[in-house]
Amino acid sequence: MNKIPIYFMPGLAANPLIFSKIKLDEALFEVFYLEWEIPNAKESLNDYAKRIALNIKEENPVLIGVSFGGILVQEIAKHISVRKLIIISSLKTDLEFPRRLKLIKITRLYKLVPIGLLLKFIKLIELVSGEKMKQRMQLYEKFLSVRDSRYLKWAFDKVLLWNCTEINEDLIHIHGDKDQMFPVKNIKNCIVVEGGTHVMVFTKYRWFNANLANIILEGNSNPEASG
């Protein structure tokens, strides 16, 4: 039996280490990791998605994206055939943005903020979720390795200005009930992970190890969302 190809896409500025604790049965799945590339000048999200899709060599893969990576895999799926599309700690449409990000989007205030402060915003937004600050900061330093200013300015712009109203009917959305970046109260039709924060793909790896394979094989089920 041919293995099912799985392509993981990390979140904004993050590297594939965020997936290091997720283990899938090697007899059933072949795992690949996509990485962020520096965008070309004035490159659209659509063109960027086409370029990243060139790194996908297997036919009809499962695409799994976290946060901005979840937005990107949705754009990639517009250009290639996929077996399944799974987003984690992400958004299905721009209607799921929290109010504060909608305000930033309308005012374009983020364009006036130095890029270093924007990166710190990513790190600090989740500190209020209750985990120890030192441990959380160490996680962010480990995973947020893409610090090129061209990429960061481009990425913030593409996230905040993302305009999507049509949802892929085969999309599966997994979201934590403690996500401070994209609060679950704004998210519809998702599998909710109890205690999951915006980085739950790492901190709740036991839940993913117990449930992700079945979600890939069986579809949008509602497994026990805890652990």
Side-chain angles (χ1 to χ4, degrees):
M1 183 179 69
N2 292 332
K3 296 181 182 180
I4 298 172
I6 313 290
Y7 282 83
F8 284 97
M9 185 75 218
L12 194 154
N15 59 59
L17 287 174
I18 195 77
F19 302 112
S20 61
K21 291 189 175 183
I22 292 182
K23 307 299 181 185
L24 292 169
D25 188 342
E26 294 181 358
L28 296 176
F29 307 103
E30 187 170 9
V31 175
F32 304 89
Y33 299 100
L34 298 170
E35 297 191 52
W36 295 105
E37 298 179 5
I38 305 304
N40 298 322
K42 298 183 179 180
E43 187 171 20
S44 68
L45 183 58
N46 181 61
D47 288 341
Y48 188 85
K50 289 180 181 178
R51 183 153 64 90
I52 297 300
L54 295 176
N55 297 314
I56 299 174
K57 308 301 183 182
E58 307 299 316
E59 294 184 358
N60 204 33
V62 175
L63 298 184
I64 301 177
V66 173
S67 193
F68 183 34
I71 290 176
L72 182 61
V73 296
Q74 290 177 72
E75 295 298 316
I76 291 174
K78 295 176 181 179
H79 304 291
I80 66 171
S81 296
V82 299
R83 177 189 180 104
K84 196 151 293 180
L85 184 60
I86 300 173
I87 63 173
I88 302 167
S89 307
S90 189
L91 306 166
K92 295 185 290 297
T93 77
D94 56 336
L95 298 176
E96 294 182 331
F97 274 112
R99 182 179 302 175
R100 65 175 181 275
L101 291 185
K102 290 180 180 178
L103 179 62
I104 293 173
K105 175 180 180 177
I106 293 171
T107 61
R108 304 288 181 94
L109 289 175
Y110 65 95
K111 289 184 176 292
L112 303 178
V113 180
I115 199 65
L117 291 180
L118 289 175
L119 187 58
K120 288 181 180 179
F121 172 76
I122 298 178
K123 295 179 182 179
L124 295 175
I125 192 69
E126 279 290 316
L127 293 179
V128 297
S129 63
E131 294 188 26
K132 293 181 180 179
M133 183 177 293
K134 182 178 179 180
Q135 182 182 32
R136 180 56 62 90
M137 289 301 289
Q138 288 174 341
L139 283 179
Y140 277 113
E141 289 300 324
K142 178 179 180 180
F143 299 135
L144 296 183
S145 63
V146 186
R147 293 181 168 84
D148 184 278
S149 62
R150 292 168 296 170
Y151 163 80
L152 292 171
K153 290 177 181 178
W154 175 88
F156 276 107
D157 191 69
K158 299 312 175 189
V159 170
L160 291 171
L161 298 183
W162 187 51
N163 183 18
C164 177
T165 57
E166 294 186 12
I167 301 174
N168 186 310
E169 61 183 20
D170 297 321
L171 183 147
I172 296 172
H173 191 166
I174 305 173
H175 212 85
D177 65 354
K178 302 299 183 184
D179 192 312
Q180 299 294 326
M181 184 71 75
F182 302 137
V184 73
K185 66 180 181 180
N186 301 313
I187 306 297
K188 297 180 179 180
N189 301 321
C190 67
I191 298 172
V192 177
V193 178
E194 182 181 344
T197 66
H198 199 63
V199 291
M200 67 176 183
V201 73
F202 184 82
T203 58
K204 290 288 184 179
Y205 68 92
R206 291 186 180 87
W207 185 92
F208 286 96
N209 287 343
N211 295 291
L212 186 56
N214 287 335
I215 291 172
I216 293 170
L217 295 172
E218 299 177 10
N220 197 1
S221 58
N222 188 19
E224 181 64 30
S226 61

